[in-house]
Every structure is written in structure tokens, then in C-alpha cells.
Amino acid sequence: MQGADNIGFLPGYAFWDVNRENLDFSRDKSFIISRLFERGKLDDVLTVIVIYGKEEAGKVLRNNKYLNRQGLFLAHALLGLPLQEFKAYALFKQH
């Protein structure tokens, strides 16, 4: 993870409900990646891809069955992963 020592880049509008100072880049990576894909701006998403890498971000997002529609399609477009690989996509198809 590049630059993962600076938690200050996490935007307040995406993490309004948690104390950002208590987040740890390693321990909370699934939460951070998912939250930024769901509620972050494009610059935030691109930054999280740089920090964690496309492979790690893709792994986290593919396994998140609660990923919202915005996060799902953004991950599909930016990471180049087929929609069928996302657990959340299976839930969207059921509804």
C-alpha cells in the first residue's frame, strides 16, 4: 500500500458517521474501499485504487455482497471486472 500512513485523505462527506482517526488502513481496508466506491467522488476512488492497487480493491469489492449499485458499476467500469464476478450483482439480479 502506497501512502497508507496518511488517513487524512479520507473525506468527511464519505465517512461522516465514523471517527476517521480510528480507522486503520490495513484493518479497515474493506470498509474504506467499499465506502469510497459507494460514496466517494471520482478522485477519492482513484486515490484508493492507487493506495490499495486494482487487484486488492477488486478482491474486496467482488466479495462485498452489500455493495450498492453505484459502487458496483463504478468498480465494473474502473477495474474492468465482469459484473457476474461480484456477489452484490447476484443480489441485484434477484430483485
Side-chain angles (χ1 to χ4, degrees), residues 62-77:
R62 280 194 307 266
N63 289 313
N64 181 347
K65 65 182 178 179
Y66 301 109
L67 189 64
N68 70 16
R69 188 175 294 273
Q70 174 183 321
L72 173 67
F73 287 103
L74 191 57
H76 165 68

Side-chain angles (χ1 to χ4, degrees), residues 47-95:
T47 299
V48 88
I49 291 171
V50 168
I51 290 172
Y52 290 102
K54 286 178 84 170
E55 187 174 318
E56 188 63 30
K59 179 180 170 185
V60 165
L61 296 168
R62 280 194 307 266
N63 289 313
N64 181 347
K65 65 182 178 179
Y66 301 109
L67 189 64
N68 70 16
R69 188 175 294 273
Q70 174 183 321
L72 173 67
F73 287 103
L74 191 57
H76 165 68
L78 291 179
L79 302 176
L81 300 171
L83 287 171
Q84 296 76 12
E85 290 186 9
F86 292 88
K87 289 183 179 180
Y89 183 69
L91 293 175
F92 283 127
K93 286 179 57 176
Q94 292 175 358
H95 294 111

